Amino acid sequence: MAVIPQLESSQIKTFMEAALAEAKAAGDRGEVPIGAVIVKDGKIIASAGNRREEDQKTDAHAEMHAILEANAKLGTWRLEETALFVTLEPCLMCAGAILNARIPLVYFGAQDKKAGAVTSLYSVFDDERLNHQVKVVPGVLQAESSAMLKDFFQSLRAKQKAEKKLRKAAQDTGQN
């Protein structure tokens, strides 16, 4: 049976704030603002933000980078007795990595109605047939996580709309 880390509410808030800082840094780089941290013995041992655009790799999600960093730091693929904090509900790929890494506890901020594999579209961690079980705590700093994503996508849509308008104006000018 996995040992589930015991954390106080102030620690939970602090660690999710660290994940939000990673998400903000990702957003500042033009990435979808998602951040993740992994905690062991009350300390952050790994942190990452989304890097899919930057790396041009399908698996460059915040959770994946944080898991790989924690693996390297601990010298093992087993991340038992750790907790993962992520600003957005993990997708199927990340949920699979969490299961395979044996992470026993996941806190997340916003639900992902389009790709969430933990509570939204699927409940992967609730499948008792799996050889590892994960405890999930959803909705930690949900408003902050959701607002960051909403602001990012609103800004992206506005930018795309402005670029489209400029292209159309350039086309119209070129035709006259």
PDB file of all heavy atoms in Angstrom, residues 85-118:
ATOM      1  N   PHE A  85       1.200  18.466  -7.617  1.00  0.00           N
ATOM      2  CA  PHE A  85       0.297  19.609  -7.664  1.00  0.00           C
ATOM      3  C   PHE A  85       0.313  20.111  -9.094  1.00  0.00           C
ATOM      4  O   PHE A  85       1.386  20.399  -9.634  1.00  0.00           O
ATOM      5  CB  PHE A  85       0.777  20.720  -6.729  1.00  0.00           C
ATOM      6  CG  PHE A  85       0.661  20.371  -5.276  1.00  0.00           C
ATOM      7  CD1 PHE A  85       1.589  19.554  -4.665  1.00  0.00           C
ATOM      8  CD2 PHE A  85      -0.390  20.872  -4.510  1.00  0.00           C
ATOM      9  CE1 PHE A  85       1.482  19.220  -3.317  1.00  0.00           C
ATOM     10  CE2 PHE A  85      -0.507  20.546  -3.167  1.00  0.00           C
ATOM     11  CZ  PHE A  85       0.426  19.719  -2.574  1.00  0.00           C
ATOM     12  N   VAL A  86      -0.847  20.219  -9.721  1.00  0.00           N
ATOM     13  CA  VAL A  86      -0.916  20.683 -11.097  1.00  0.00           C
ATOM     14  C   VAL A  86      -2.118  21.604 -11.247  1.00  0.00           C
ATOM     15  O   VAL A  86      -3.161  21.379 -10.625  1.00  0.00           O
ATOM     16  CB  VAL A  86      -0.935  19.494 -12.092  1.00  0.00           C
ATOM     17  CG1 VAL A  86      -2.167  18.621 -11.898  1.00  0.00           C
ATOM     18  CG2 VAL A  86      -0.800  19.957 -13.517  1.00  0.00           C
ATOM     19  N   THR A  87      -1.958  22.635 -12.065  1.00  0.00           N
ATOM     20  CA  THR A  87      -2.994  23.659 -12.164  1.00  0.00           C
ATOM     21  C   THR A  87      -4.198  23.233 -12.989  1.00  0.00           C
ATOM     22  O   THR A  87      -5.264  23.820 -12.857  1.00  0.00           O
ATOM     23  CB  THR A  87      -2.406  24.961 -12.737  1.00  0.00           C
ATOM     24  OG1 THR A  87      -1.819  24.700 -14.016  1.00  0.00           O
ATOM     25  CG2 THR A  87      -1.355  25.534 -11.794  1.00  0.00           C
ATOM     26  N   LEU A  88      -4.039  22.215 -13.833  1.00  0.00           N
ATOM     27  CA  LEU A  88      -5.143  21.714 -14.654  1.00  0.00           C
ATOM     28  C   LEU A  88      -5.233  20.200 -14.503  1.00  0.00           C
ATOM     29  O   LEU A  88      -4.207  19.517 -14.448  1.00  0.00           O
ATOM     30  CB  LEU A  88      -4.921  22.077 -16.133  1.00  0.00           C
ATOM     31  CG  LEU A  88      -6.037  21.682 -17.103  1.00  0.00           C
ATOM     32  CD1 LEU A  88      -7.324  22.462 -16.814  1.00  0.00           C
ATOM     33  CD2 LEU A  88      -5.596  21.926 -18.543  1.00  0.00           C
ATOM     34  N   GLU A  89      -6.432  19.706 -14.460  1.00  0.00           N
ATOM     35  CA  GLU A  89      -6.673  18.263 -14.363  1.00  0.00           C
ATOM     36  C   GLU A  89      -5.837  17.507 -15.401  1.00  0.00           C
ATOM     37  O   GLU A  89      -5.829  17.858 -16.574  1.00  0.00           O
ATOM     38  CB  GLU A  89      -8.160  18.004 -14.602  1.00  0.00           C
ATOM     39  CG  GLU A  89      -8.551  16.552 -14.608  1.00  0.00           C
ATOM     40  CD  GLU A  89     -10.030  16.354 -14.914  1.00  0.00           C
ATOM     41  OE1 GLU A  89     -10.760  17.357 -15.116  1.00  0.00           O
ATOM     42  OE2 GLU A  89     -10.460  15.190 -14.949  1.00  0.00           O
ATOM     43  N   PRO A  90      -5.129  16.462 -14.976  1.00  0.00           N
ATOM     44  CA  PRO A  90      -4.291  15.695 -15.911  1.00  0.00           C
ATOM     45  C   PRO A  90      -5.096  15.031 -17.036  1.00  0.00           C
ATOM     46  O   PRO A  90      -6.222  14.591 -16.837  1.00  0.00           O
ATOM     47  CB  PRO A  90      -3.647  14.632 -15.021  1.00  0.00           C
ATOM     48  CG  PRO A  90      -3.631  15.250 -13.655  1.00  0.00           C
ATOM     49  CD  PRO A  90      -4.919  16.035 -13.589  1.00  0.00           C
ATOM     50  N   CYS A  91      -4.458  14.973 -18.209  1.00  0.00           N
ATOM     51  CA  CYS A  91      -5.025  14.278 -19.367  1.00  0.00           C
ATOM     52  C   CYS A  91      -4.739  12.778 -19.239  1.00  0.00           C
ATOM     53  O   CYS A  91      -4.098  12.339 -18.276  1.00  0.00           O
ATOM     54  CB  CYS A  91      -4.401  14.827 -20.659  1.00  0.00           C
ATOM     55  SG  CYS A  91      -2.646  14.415 -20.847  1.00  0.00           S
ATOM     56  N   LEU A  92      -5.187  11.999 -20.209  1.00  0.00           N
ATOM     57  CA  LEU A  92      -4.953  10.547 -20.172  1.00  0.00           C
ATOM     58  C   LEU A  92      -3.471  10.198 -20.151  1.00  0.00           C
ATOM     59  O   LEU A  92      -3.046   9.313 -19.397  1.00  0.00           O
ATOM     60  CB  LEU A  92      -5.615   9.877 -21.384  1.00  0.00           C
ATOM     61  CG  LEU A  92      -7.083   9.556 -21.231  1.00  0.00           C
ATOM     62  CD1 LEU A  92      -7.691   9.170 -22.579  1.00  0.00           C
ATOM     63  CD2 LEU A  92      -7.315   8.465 -20.204  1.00  0.00           C
ATOM     64  N   MET A  93      -2.672  10.875 -20.977  1.00  0.00           N
ATOM     65  CA  MET A  93      -1.234  10.588 -21.017  1.00  0.00           C
ATOM     66  C   MET A  93      -0.597  10.858 -19.655  1.00  0.00           C
ATOM     67  O   MET A  93       0.149  10.017 -19.141  1.00  0.00           O
ATOM     68  CB  MET A  93      -0.558  11.459 -22.089  1.00  0.00           C
ATOM     69  CG  MET A  93       0.951  11.325 -22.115  1.00  0.00           C
ATOM     70  SD  MET A  93       1.723  12.418 -23.330  1.00  0.00           S
ATOM     71  CE  MET A  93       1.391  14.032 -22.614  1.00  0.00           C
ATOM     72  N   CYS A  94      -0.901  12.006 -19.085  1.00  0.00           N
ATOM     73  CA  CYS A  94      -0.299  12.364 -17.802  1.00  0.00           C
ATOM     74  C   CYS A  94      -0.821  11.475 -16.674  1.00  0.00           C
ATOM     75  O   CYS A  94      -0.069  11.105 -15.774  1.00  0.00           O
ATOM     76  CB  CYS A  94      -0.521  13.839 -17.514  1.00  0.00           C
ATOM     77  SG  CYS A  94       0.387  14.905 -18.657  1.00  0.00           S
ATOM     78  N   ALA A  95      -2.099  11.120 -16.732  1.00  0.00           N
ATOM     79  CA  ALA A  95      -2.654  10.201 -15.728  1.00  0.00           C
ATOM     80  C   ALA A  95      -1.921   8.862 -15.789  1.00  0.00           C
ATOM     81  O   ALA A  95      -1.591   8.278 -14.755  1.00  0.00           O
ATOM     82  CB  ALA A  95      -4.151  10.014 -15.937  1.00  0.00           C
ATOM     83  N   GLY A  96      -1.636   8.393 -17.000  1.00  0.00           N
ATOM     84  CA  GLY A  96      -0.877   7.152 -17.158  1.00  0.00           C
ATOM     85  C   GLY A  96       0.523   7.263 -16.577  1.00  0.00           C
ATOM     86  O   GLY A  96       1.008   6.346 -15.912  1.00  0.00           O
ATOM     87  N   ALA A  97       1.168   8.397 -16.809  1.00  0.00           N
ATOM     88  CA  ALA A  97       2.510   8.602 -16.259  1.00  0.00           C
ATOM     89  C   ALA A  97       2.473   8.666 -14.734  1.00  0.00           C
ATOM     90  O   ALA A  97       3.355   8.123 -14.058  1.00  0.00           O
ATOM     91  CB  ALA A  97       3.121   9.880 -16.832  1.00  0.00           C
ATOM     92  N   ILE A  98       1.452   9.312 -14.189  1.00  0.00           N
ATOM     93  CA  ILE A  98       1.288   9.395 -12.734  1.00  0.00           C
ATOM     94  C   ILE A  98       1.128   7.994 -12.146  1.00  0.00           C
ATOM     95  O   ILE A  98       1.762   7.645 -11.144  1.00  0.00           O
ATOM     96  CB  ILE A  98       0.086  10.301 -12.380  1.00  0.00           C
ATOM     97  CG1 ILE A  98       0.407  11.755 -12.733  1.00  0.00           C
ATOM     98  CG2 ILE A  98      -0.319  10.142 -10.917  1.00  0.00           C
ATOM     99  CD1 ILE A  98      -0.812  12.670 -12.832  1.00  0.00           C
ATOM    100  N   LEU A  99       0.300   7.188 -12.782  1.00  0.00           N
ATOM    101  CA  LEU A  99       0.113   5.798 -12.329  1.00  0.00           C
ATOM    102  C   LEU A  99       1.417   5.018 -12.406  1.00  0.00           C
ATOM    103  O   LEU A  99       1.804   4.321 -11.459  1.00  0.00           O
ATOM    104  CB  LEU A  99      -0.952   5.097 -13.175  1.00  0.00           C
ATOM    105  CG  LEU A  99      -2.396   5.492 -12.892  1.00  0.00           C
ATOM    106  CD1 LEU A  99      -3.305   5.052 -14.029  1.00  0.00           C
ATOM    107  CD2 LEU A  99      -2.854   4.889 -11.569  1.00  0.00           C
ATOM    108  N   ASN A 100       2.111   5.129 -13.531  1.00  0.00           N
ATOM    109  CA  ASN A 100       3.350   4.379 -13.722  1.00  0.00           C
ATOM    110  C   ASN A 100       4.460   4.846 -12.796  1.00  0.00           C
ATOM    111  O   ASN A 100       5.319   4.046 -12.421  1.00  0.00           O
ATOM    112  CB  ASN A 100       3.792   4.453 -15.184  1.00  0.00           C
ATOM    113  CG  ASN A 100       3.011   3.469 -16.018  1.00  0.00           C
ATOM    114  OD1 ASN A 100       3.164   2.269 -15.878  1.00  0.00           O
ATOM    115  ND2 ASN A 100       2.146   3.979 -16.882  1.00  0.00           N
ATOM    116  N   ALA A 101       4.456   6.121 -12.418  1.00  0.00           N
ATOM    117  CA  ALA A 101       5.458   6.650 -11.493  1.00  0.00           C
ATOM    118  C   ALA A 101       5.114   6.326 -10.041  1.00  0.00           C
ATOM    119  O   ALA A 101       5.912   6.573  -9.150  1.00  0.00           O
ATOM    120  CB  ALA A 101       5.590   8.164 -11.671  1.00  0.00           C
ATOM    121  N   ARG A 102       3.928   5.783  -9.821  1.00  0.00           N
ATOM    122  CA  ARG A 102       3.467   5.407  -8.481  1.00  0.00           C
ATOM    123  C   ARG A 102       3.261   6.598  -7.557  1.00  0.00           C
ATOM    124  O   ARG A 102       3.447   6.513  -6.343  1.00  0.00           O
ATOM    125  CB  ARG A 102       4.407   4.405  -7.815  1.00  0.00           C
ATOM    126  CG  ARG A 102       4.717   3.144  -8.607  1.00  0.00           C
ATOM    127  CD  ARG A 102       3.476   2.303  -8.821  1.00  0.00           C
ATOM    128  NE  ARG A 102       3.792   0.969  -9.292  1.00  0.00           N
ATOM    129  CZ  ARG A 102       3.783   0.602 -10.560  1.00  0.00           C
ATOM    130  NH1 ARG A 102       3.488   1.471 -11.501  1.00  0.00           N
ATOM    131  NH2 ARG A 102       4.049  -0.647 -10.913  1.00  0.00           N
ATOM    132  N   ILE A 103       2.881   7.748  -8.138  1.00  0.00           N
ATOM    133  CA  ILE A 103       2.573   8.921  -7.323  1.00  0.00           C
ATOM    134  C   ILE A 103       1.238   8.647  -6.619  1.00  0.00           C
ATOM    135  O   ILE A 103       0.242   8.382  -7.280  1.00  0.00           O
ATOM    136  CB  ILE A 103       2.496  10.196  -8.199  1.00  0.00           C
ATOM    137  CG1 ILE A 103       3.866  10.477  -8.826  1.00  0.00           C
ATOM    138  CG2 ILE A 103       2.002  11.385  -7.377  1.00  0.00           C
ATOM    139  CD1 ILE A 103       3.864  11.587  -9.860  1.00  0.00           C
ATOM    140  N   PRO A 104       1.206   8.714  -5.292  1.00  0.00           N
ATOM    141  CA  PRO A 104      -0.017   8.337  -4.570  1.00  0.00           C
ATOM    142  C   PRO A 104      -1.047   9.450  -4.380  1.00  0.00           C
ATOM    143  O   PRO A 104      -2.181   9.171  -4.020  1.00  0.00           O
ATOM    144  CB  PRO A 104       0.510   7.880  -3.214  1.00  0.00           C
ATOM    145  CG  PRO A 104       1.745   8.692  -3.008  1.00  0.00           C
ATOM    146  CD  PRO A 104       2.346   8.868  -4.380  1.00  0.00           C
ATOM    147  N   LEU A 105      -0.663  10.719  -4.637  1.00  0.00           N
ATOM    148  CA  LEU A 105      -1.543  11.829  -4.298  1.00  0.00           C
ATOM    149  C   LEU A 105      -1.420  12.944  -5.338  1.00  0.00           C
ATOM    150  O   LEU A 105      -0.311  13.384  -5.646  1.00  0.00           O
ATOM    151  CB  LEU A 105      -1.152  12.369  -2.910  1.00  0.00           C
ATOM    152  CG  LEU A 105      -1.917  13.541  -2.325  1.00  0.00           C
ATOM    153  CD1 LEU A 105      -3.409  13.249  -2.196  1.00  0.00           C
ATOM    154  CD2 LEU A 105      -1.329  13.899  -0.953  1.00  0.00           C
ATOM    155  N   VAL A 106      -2.558  13.364  -5.877  1.00  0.00           N
ATOM    156  CA  VAL A 106      -2.589  14.437  -6.880  1.00  0.00           C
ATOM    157  C   VAL A 106      -3.583  15.508  -6.456  1.00  0.00           C
ATOM    158  O   VAL A 106      -4.741  15.211  -6.169  1.00  0.00           O
ATOM    159  CB  VAL A 106      -2.976  13.898  -8.278  1.00  0.00           C
ATOM    160  CG1 VAL A 106      -3.184  15.044  -9.264  1.00  0.00           C
ATOM    161  CG2 VAL A 106      -1.936  12.923  -8.793  1.00  0.00           C
ATOM    162  N   TYR A 107      -3.094  16.736  -6.425  1.00  0.00           N
ATOM    163  CA  TYR A 107      -3.928  17.915  -6.212  1.00  0.00           C
ATOM    164  C   TYR A 107      -3.992  18.642  -7.548  1.00  0.00           C
ATOM    165  O   TYR A 107      -2.969  18.799  -8.212  1.00  0.00           O
ATOM    166  CB  TYR A 107      -3.295  18.871  -5.204  1.00  0.00           C
ATOM    167  CG  TYR A 107      -3.185  18.340  -3.801  1.00  0.00           C
ATOM    168  CD1 TYR A 107      -2.079  17.606  -3.397  1.00  0.00           C
ATOM    169  CD2 TYR A 107      -4.187  18.591  -2.863  1.00  0.00           C
ATOM    170  CE1 TYR A 107      -1.956  17.134  -2.095  1.00  0.00           C
ATOM    171  CE2 TYR A 107      -4.081  18.125  -1.563  1.00  0.00           C
ATOM    172  CZ  TYR A 107      -2.963  17.396  -1.181  1.00  0.00           C
ATOM    173  OH  TYR A 107      -2.859  16.933   0.099  1.00  0.00           O
ATOM    174  N   PHE A 108      -5.194  19.076  -7.965  1.00  0.00           N
ATOM    175  CA  PHE A 108      -5.251  19.895  -9.169  1.00  0.00           C
ATOM    176  C   PHE A 108      -6.210  21.054  -8.988  1.00  0.00           C
ATOM    177  O   PHE A 108      -7.095  21.019  -8.140  1.00  0.00           O
ATOM    178  CB  PHE A 108      -5.553  19.065 -10.422  1.00  0.00           C
ATOM    179  CG  PHE A 108      -6.962  18.566 -10.574  1.00  0.00           C
ATOM    180  CD1 PHE A 108      -7.955  19.374 -11.113  1.00  0.00           C
ATOM    181  CD2 PHE A 108      -7.296  17.272 -10.212  1.00  0.00           C
ATOM    182  CE1 PHE A 108      -9.255  18.909 -11.278  1.00  0.00           C
ATOM    183  CE2 PHE A 108      -8.578  16.790 -10.370  1.00  0.00           C
ATOM    184  CZ  PHE A 108      -9.573  17.616 -10.909  1.00  0.00           C
ATOM    185  N   GLY A 109      -6.000  22.085  -9.831  1.00  0.00           N
ATOM    186  CA  GLY A 109      -6.812  23.298  -9.748  1.00  0.00           C
ATOM    187  C   GLY A 109      -8.076  23.198 -10.561  1.00  0.00           C
ATOM    188  O   GLY A 109      -9.140  22.833 -10.056  1.00  0.00           O
ATOM    189  N   ALA A 110      -7.984  23.508 -11.840  1.00  0.00           N
ATOM    190  CA  ALA A 110      -9.152  23.566 -12.717  1.00  0.00           C
ATOM    191  C   ALA A 110      -9.445  22.217 -13.361  1.00  0.00           C
ATOM    192  O   ALA A 110      -8.533  21.463 -13.681  1.00  0.00           O
ATOM    193  CB  ALA A 110      -8.913  24.603 -13.817  1.00  0.00           C
ATOM    194  N   GLN A 111     -10.730  21.951 -13.551  1.00  0.00           N
ATOM    195  CA  GLN A 111     -11.127  20.765 -14.305  1.00  0.00           C
ATOM    196  C   GLN A 111     -10.905  21.022 -15.781  1.00  0.00           C
ATOM    197  O   GLN A 111     -10.931  22.166 -16.231  1.00  0.00           O
ATOM    198  CB  GLN A 111     -12.596  20.430 -14.073  1.00  0.00           C
ATOM    199  CG  GLN A 111     -12.860  19.759 -12.751  1.00  0.00           C
ATOM    200  CD  GLN A 111     -14.269  19.235 -12.691  1.00  0.00           C
ATOM    201  OE1 GLN A 111     -15.227  19.973 -12.870  1.00  0.00           O
ATOM    202  NE2 GLN A 111     -14.404  17.944 -12.425  1.00  0.00           N
ATOM    203  N   ASP A 112     -10.675  19.956 -16.532  1.00  0.00           N
ATOM    204  CA  ASP A 112     -10.495  20.057 -17.983  1.00  0.00           C
ATOM    205  C   ASP A 112     -11.628  19.276 -18.637  1.00  0.00           C
ATOM    206  O   ASP A 112     -11.552  18.060 -18.799  1.00  0.00           O
ATOM    207  CB  ASP A 112      -9.134  19.501 -18.393  1.00  0.00           C
ATOM    208  CG  ASP A 112      -8.836  19.703 -19.863  1.00  0.00           C
ATOM    209  OD1 ASP A 112      -9.748  20.092 -20.623  1.00  0.00           O
ATOM    210  OD2 ASP A 112      -7.677  19.472 -20.254  1.00  0.00           O
ATOM    211  N   LYS A 113     -12.680  19.993 -19.003  1.00  0.00           N
ATOM    212  CA  LYS A 113     -13.884  19.362 -19.566  1.00  0.00           C
ATOM    213  C   LYS A 113     -13.636  18.725 -20.928  1.00  0.00           C
ATOM    214  O   LYS A 113     -14.426  17.906 -21.377  1.00  0.00           O
ATOM    215  CB  LYS A 113     -15.019  20.394 -19.678  1.00  0.00           C
ATOM    216  CG  LYS A 113     -15.435  20.984 -18.352  1.00  0.00           C
ATOM    217  CD  LYS A 113     -16.103  19.974 -17.481  1.00  0.00           C
ATOM    218  CE  LYS A 113     -16.618  20.623 -16.205  1.00  0.00           C
ATOM    219  NZ  LYS A 113     -17.113  19.666 -15.250  1.00  0.00           N
ATOM    220  N   LYS A 114     -12.546  19.104 -21.604  1.00  0.00           N
ATOM    221  CA  LYS A 114     -12.271  18.577 -22.945  1.00  0.00           C
ATOM    222  C   LYS A 114     -11.269  17.433 -22.952  1.00  0.00           C
ATOM    223  O   LYS A 114     -11.235  16.656 -23.901  1.00  0.00           O
ATOM    224  CB  LYS A 114     -11.757  19.696 -23.854  1.00  0.00           C
ATOM    225  CG  LYS A 114     -12.799  20.762 -24.113  1.00  0.00           C
ATOM    226  CD  LYS A 114     -12.284  21.816 -25.053  1.00  0.00           C
ATOM    227  CE  LYS A 114     -13.365  22.856 -25.311  1.00  0.00           C
ATOM    228  NZ  LYS A 114     -12.888  23.895 -26.216  1.00  0.00           N
ATOM    229  N   ALA A 115     -10.425  17.329 -21.931  1.00  0.00           N
ATOM    230  CA  ALA A 115      -9.397  16.283 -21.952  1.00  0.00           C
ATOM    231  C   ALA A 115      -9.079  15.697 -20.575  1.00  0.00           C
ATOM    232  O   ALA A 115      -8.162  14.891 -20.451  1.00  0.00           O
ATOM    233  CB  ALA A 115      -8.109  16.828 -22.583  1.00  0.00           C
ATOM    234  N   GLY A 116      -9.817  16.076 -19.549  1.00  0.00           N
ATOM    235  CA  GLY A 116      -9.524  15.612 -18.195  1.00  0.00           C
ATOM    236  C   GLY A 116      -9.772  14.131 -18.002  1.00  0.00           C
ATOM    237  O   GLY A 116     -10.831  13.611 -18.346  1.00  0.00           O
ATOM    238  N   ALA A 117      -8.774  13.461 -17.445  1.00  0.00           N
ATOM    239  CA  ALA A 117      -8.861  12.009 -17.275  1.00  0.00           C
ATOM    240  C   ALA A 117      -9.028  11.588 -15.821  1.00  0.00           C
ATOM    241  O   ALA A 117      -8.984  10.399 -15.513  1.00  0.00           O
ATOM    242  CB  ALA A 117      -7.617  11.352 -17.862  1.00  0.00           C
ATOM    243  N   VAL A 118      -9.229  12.564 -14.931  1.00  0.00           N
ATOM    244  CA  VAL A 118      -9.284  12.252 -13.506  1.00  0.00           C
ATOM    245  C   VAL A 118     -10.697  12.392 -12.940  1.00  0.00           C
ATOM    246  O   VAL A 118     -11.140  11.561 -12.162  1.00  0.00           O
ATOM    247  CB  VAL A 118      -8.278  13.142 -12.738  1.00  0.00           C
ATOM    248  CG1 VAL A 118      -8.335  12.877 -11.247  1.00  0.00           C
ATOM    249  CG2 VAL A 118      -6.861  12.918 -13.257  1.00  0.00           C
TER     250      VAL A 118
END
